[in-house]
Structures are given as C-alpha cells and as structure tokens.
Amino acid sequence: MIHPRNDFEDAGQGQVFRFFDDLPAAPQDALTREASGVDLSEVSRLHETLVRNPGAGNEALADELQPAEFIPLPRNGGDAARWEEAFETGEAALRAGRVAAFTVAGGQGTRLGFDGPKGTFPVTPIRKAPLFQVFAEKIRAASNRYGKPMPWYIMTSVINHEETVDFFERHGYFGLGPDRVHFFSQGLMPAVDEEGKILLAEKGRIALSPDGHGGSLRALVRSGAIDRMEADGIDTISYFQVDNPLVRCLDPAFIGFHLLGESEMSSKALPKAYPEEKVGVFCRNGEGRDVVIEYSDMPERLATERDDDGQLRFRAGSIAIHVFDRDFVKRLGAGDDPDAVLPFHKAHKKVAFVDDAGKPVEPDSPNAWKFEMFVFDALPFAKNPVIIETAREDDFSPVKNAEGADSPKTCREDQLRQFARWAKAAGLPVEADKTGLPSVAFEITPGFADTEERFVERVSGMGNEKPVIVDEAVIDDPNP
Ligand code: UTP
C-alpha cells in the first residue's frame, strides 16, 4: 500500500506529516489511519468552491421562492378523516415491524457546554432522566403497544462513541436489550486554515470533526446499518435529534402520511413563532422542488412577509424531524448518483491547532473552516416529499444552549406544561399560570403514557387509584 504521506505531499498537505518522523510508532500508526480516512480531493474542492470562490449570493434565487405546501393539523383546517387514515396506516406499519427509530447524536454540543455526550444530559423535571432514557422509554412504549420490538439506531461520532455505548451498557440499555440498539459512528472532516491547509490538533492528530447531521445518510450506508434494516424487513426510518425530549419518536400519523404519500422523505413543520426565529423554513424553489432555507439565508423581506390574515407567509419552520424511505437513504448515502449528492456547508470556527514549530495555539477568533452536511438538504432529491404540520407543545423543545432560549430551563418548563395539559385532559386537578406552567412540578413517564390520549385512557381506567398531582410526583408504571 502506498503510504498516505505521499498523497498528502502531492496534494500540498505535507504539513500533516511534519512531525511524523519524531513520533513513536503507535501515534504514527494512528495518524496514518486518520490520514487514510481523509478524502483529499473533497477537501480541496470544498475549500476552492466554498471558501475561495463562494460564488454570488442567492438573493436572485430567493426571488423565486414560494412557501412549501404542508398538511395542516385538523384544528387548523386539515382534513380530520385524512389524519385518521394516516394514523391507522402508521399503526399498521408499526405493528408490521417496518419502522426503525433513528437518533443523530454525533454532534459536539458546544453551546450547551455539558461534559459528556448530549444524550446523557439529565433532562426531565423530577427524575432527571437523561435524554437517551426518555427516547428509550418512548420506543419501549411503542414496542409494547404494537407488539413488535422496534429497533433503535443511534449515530455517534468518534468524539462520543465509546462514552455513549458505555452509558447504555451501564444502564442496561434502559430495558431495550443490546440486540435492539445499534450504534455506529459518523464520518469526519478535517478543519482547514484560510489557505485550505489541513490543521493538526496535535503533532500526531488531525483536527477532525463530525461531518454534520447530513453525514448520517452516508454513515447509515457505510456502517452497514441500511443493509441490516433491509435484512430485518425495515423500510421506514423515523429520524430525530438527540436534543429534543418532546419528540414523538415513532409517530403513527406522521409515518402514515409518509407511506400514504409514497414519499421518500417526509418532514414535520411548525409555524414559526416570530420572523427571526432560528429555524430553517420549508420553501418551494424555482424548479418546483421543496427545500429548507436556513434562517441566515432567508432574505428579511421574505421572512417578515405576511398573508392577508396576518400570518407569516413563509412560516413552515423545520424542526429536524423526518421519516425516510430506506431505499432513498441507500441511494443518497451511497453517493453513486452525481445528481443526488448532499452539498457541504462551511462554518468559520475557532479550532485549536499546533503551529509549524509544534506549539499548541488556542485561537481567540475563528481561524479555521469546517465543512458539514445538513440532513434537510436531502429534501429536493426526494420523490413525493410530504410535509405535515405539528404543534410545538407536542413535538419540539430542544436543549441547545446553557441559558436563554432552548435551554434546560425552557425545556423543563415545556415538559411540565405538557404534563399539566395531559393531567387536565384526564380531569385531574392542576393549577397552572396563563402559559400553562403548573404550580407544582411533576412528571409523567413514557412508561405510564407517551401521549395525551394514552394518559387519559389509563387514568380513566384507574377508578379511585387515580394519580395525585403534588410537587415532585412521578406518575410511572411499575411494569411498563
Ligand atoms: P446541532 O446543530 O444542534 O449541533 O445538532 P450540536 O453539535 O449538537 O451542538 P452545537 O452546535 O455544537 O452546540 C443537531 C443534531 O444533530 C446531531 C446532534 O447530535 C443533534 O442531535 N449532529 C450534529 C450529529 O449527529 N452530527 C453532527 O456532525 C452534527
């Protein structure tokens, strides 16, 4: 085998091996392995096309944008019979064992600043159950209801893979069984300096970081997860992020709309709360394809435009909840079709590196370019994309930041509001303020009920043993 050092030198990236000869054998091997995983022509193409010659802005294209169509909730004018049909179709698919849950958990979670994989963050109000546990309990609840042990695929990255797997082992896979939880690591991309030179994080280590949540599609293929799904009769993948404990991991109506629409990729949308809200927006481009336009790329005049009824015209916000057709992921993830390739995006970041003299440098302003793929960029390649409306309070309260919006505090309060709503719907006495926040903190576990309907049904069957809502109450099922 030709040593990758030669290729790096030929590509003008010889600096990666600058300290190689001084390294002991084990770090030399490690660096060689890391270097073998780098696609040098991809790195050079991305630097050339995204950094050196980024091309004109997309203002002209923005002129062609229209709002994407979506299926409204019944309470906002959607056809209730169609929602019912979708629900039943989704339930049938779940019962038939056609669906896998899929969590992308390879991110670095820098904004939250939590020490550990984000999925291990204690998120629920009373039990302080970690995010992974909440999803596991929801998947377990669905498995019990539909009589099929649903598999769960979790994408990690080298940064958190071992810690994540250890966490599941230590917690007995939260009752799911190791044969049902499948971990795989996503791809990595090197950070480059202004000149496109690959940076070294240490003398024997390339500055690599995960290739974005869009990297999940090729990682599903490269890891063999897609083949495994095929062998197990799974054709539908329910995709969600690790940071959102409200998400309905396996939502029958959503899965049903996806299947009824013969869609390759379906998405949930929620009405943006205000024009500046930092979520991408579902739009239809000039070629008639649905796309997600990032909030930073959305021209202000479009972001603030209103319909006659005063609603934002471009209001369908993307919340990173999707259903994928397995063969679509296989097609896109394999990367064989030059007309269906996820683009990379650049991000200017602070990246610690070692300089020419081997001295570690901690930059205090962005010094490097990182390249990432975004999963929503798959949308324009999908046949029959389906977008359905969801309600924020039922599906979305992510933990992104240590404080302020989308923080542990807002997420805790949104969970409490959901529990209070369910309790009220079941006729239990709960006091709440005008935002719906209850005066006492309590928690309903997914093992007891994972939807409002289920909660109401269980409570109404409980006679005199109904749960009492007091501070720190945990409404749980001892035998979920
Ligand atoms: P975010 O865009 O919120 O990024 O990821 P992050 O890395 O978690 O957090 P910051 O930006 O560093 O603060 C959204 C979802 O996509 C996953 C994350 O784990 C999260 O579930 N993700 C992101 C990946 O799986 N891989 C990536 O490379 C990036």
Side-chain angles (χ1 to χ4, degrees):
M1 189 191 89
I2 303 175
H3 197 276
R5 184 173 186 165
N6 301 325
D7 298 332
F8 274 64
E9 272 158 11
D10 291 350
Q13 300 283 8
Q15 77 286 351
V16 166
F17 288 89
R18 195 191 293 125
F19 308 107
F20 189 79
D21 296 332
D22 307 329
L23 294 172
Q28 276 192 345
D29 287 350
L31 180 59
T32 305
R33 254 197 321 277
E34 270 188 353
S36 313
V38 172
D39 182 338
L40 287 166
S41 58
E42 186 168 69
V43 174
S44 127
R45 177 177 63 78
L46 294 176
H47 181 257
E48 184 56 38
T49 55
L50 297 178
V51 180
R52 213 193 294 271
N53 280 310
N58 55 5
E59 185 65 8
L61 289 176
D63 279 342
E64 300 174 353
L65 292 177
Q66 296 293 325
E69 279 175 25
F70 60 88
I71 299 167
L73 285 166
R75 69 173 191 228
N76 294 333
D79 177 347
R82 208 165 150 218
W83 276 84
E84 189 54 40
E85 186 191 357
F87 187 85
E88 282 165 15
T89 305
E91 284 208 312
L94 288 161
R95 229 174 264 121
R98 291 172 55 187
V99 189
F102 175 38
T103 308
V104 286
Q108 291 169 295
T110 22
R111 284 169 290 171
L112 182 60
F114 171 65
D115 186 18
K118 212 191 237 189
T120 66
F121 181 78
V123 76
T124 70
I126 310 299
R127 292 187 300 160
K128 310 285 180 219
L131 283 150
F132 281 135
Q133 180 175 348
V134 175
F135 305 135
E137 289 174 342
K138 290 186 178 187
I139 293 166
R140 219 169 141 196
S143 301
N144 290 343
R145 183 164 328 130
Y146 298 114
K148 275 279 176 223
M150 318 274 171
W152 186 14
Y153 287 79
I154 299 175
M155 183 178 80
T156 60
S157 63
V158 281
I159 298 159
N160 61 25
H161 185 82
E162 256 176 62
E163 256 187 286
T164 302
V165 176
D166 278 358
F167 189 75
F168 274 79
E169 276 173 6
R170 266 188 290 126
H171 291 89
Y173 291 80
F174 302 106
L176 284 176
D179 49 334
R180 274 170 64 190
V181 189
H182 309 291
F183 301 95
F184 60 93
S185 268
Q186 70 179 108
L188 298 167
M189 285 296 288
V192 301
D193 68 10
E194 298 302 332
E195 271 63 59
K197 299 284 183 205
I198 295 173
L199 293 170
L200 283 176
E202 292 166 20
K203 286 183 178 175
R205 215 160 55 80
I206 300 176
L208 292 168
S209 48
D211 59 1
H213 40 66
S216 59
L217 303 185
R218 63 188 194 186
L220 276 164
V221 174
R222 288 177 183 174
S223 67
I226 282 288
D227 289 340
R228 178 170 192 144
M229 288 180 190
E230 194 161 5
D232 291 345
I234 305 282
D235 61 9
T236 304
I237 305 170
S238 183
Y239 171 107
F240 53 93
Q241 303 193 150
V242 77
D243 53 18
N244 175 21
L246 284 197
V247 69
R248 287 177 288 185
C249 305
L250 295 156
D251 179 353
F254 185 34
I255 292 165
F257 273 120
H258 169 83
L259 294 172
L260 287 172
E262 298 184 6
S263 164
E264 287 189 317
M265 173 173 175
S266 300
S267 310
K268 280 191 181 176
L270 55 75
K272 278 176 66 172
Y274 47 92
E276 301 76 27
E277 189 177 11
K278 290 183 174 176
V279 292
V281 177
F282 291 105
C283 297
R284 184 151 295 174
N285 70 14
E287 292 162 15
R289 314 230 36 123
D290 287 350
V291 291
V292 172
I293 303 292
E294 280 185 275
Y295 60 87
S296 49
D297 290 341
M298 194 75 186
E300 195 189 328
R301 70 192 154 77
L302 297 188
T304 53
E305 203 179 324
R306 300 218 175 239
D307 281 340
D308 293 343
D309 60 4
Q311 294 198 74
L312 290 174
R313 186 159 168 259
F314 289 87
R315 62 176 171 280
S318 169
I319 49 172
I321 304 175
H322 302 285
V323 175
F324 285 99
D325 172 63
R326 182 201 64 217
D327 289 339
F328 175 62
V329 172
K330 195 168 176 174
R331 176 157 63 86
L332 229 63
D336 303 335
D337 178 355
D339 295 327
V341 180
L342 287 200
F344 275 89
H345 299 253
K346 66 178 176 196
H348 209 200
K349 299 268 172 156
K350 285 189 272 185
V351 174
F353 66 103
V354 289
D355 66 12
D356 285 349
K359 204 164 66 54
V361 183
E362 280 287 345
D364 42 26
S365 59
N367 62 313
W369 294 98
K370 286 186 174 183
F371 302 109
E372 284 193 347
M373 288 177 277
F374 299 155
V375 77
F376 53 72
D377 280 329
L379 194 57
F381 302 116
K383 284 194 204 101
N384 308 328
V386 166
I387 305 171
I388 69 164
E389 185 186 6
T390 188
R392 188 179 297 265
E393 61 271 20
D394 289 330
D395 250 325
F396 190 59
S397 185
V399 179
K400 297 271 186 206
N401 306 305
E403 276 167 16
D406 297 338
S407 62
K409 177 169 186 287
T410 57
C411 182
R412 176 177 191 273
E413 291 179 353
D414 287 340
Q415 292 173 74
L416 290 172
R417 288 188 185 96
Q418 180 174 71
F419 300 144
R421 260 192 340 272
W422 293 4
K424 275 192 182 164
L428 302 175
V430 200
E431 266 182 44
D433 69 10
K434 58 179 189 312
T435 72
L437 191 64
S439 53
V440 293
F442 69 104
E443 180 169 338
I444 301 168
T445 71
F448 186 88
D450 57 344
T451 62
E452 177 174 319
E453 295 71 33
R454 180 86 182 128
F455 186 76
V456 171
E457 187 185 295
R458 285 206 69 170
V459 170
S460 67
M462 287 176 88
N464 294 333
E465 303 292 298
K466 291 197 193 328
V468 183
I469 309 294
V470 289
D471 209 22
E472 308 229 335
V474 174
I475 303 170
D476 193 9
D477 185 339
N479 304 304

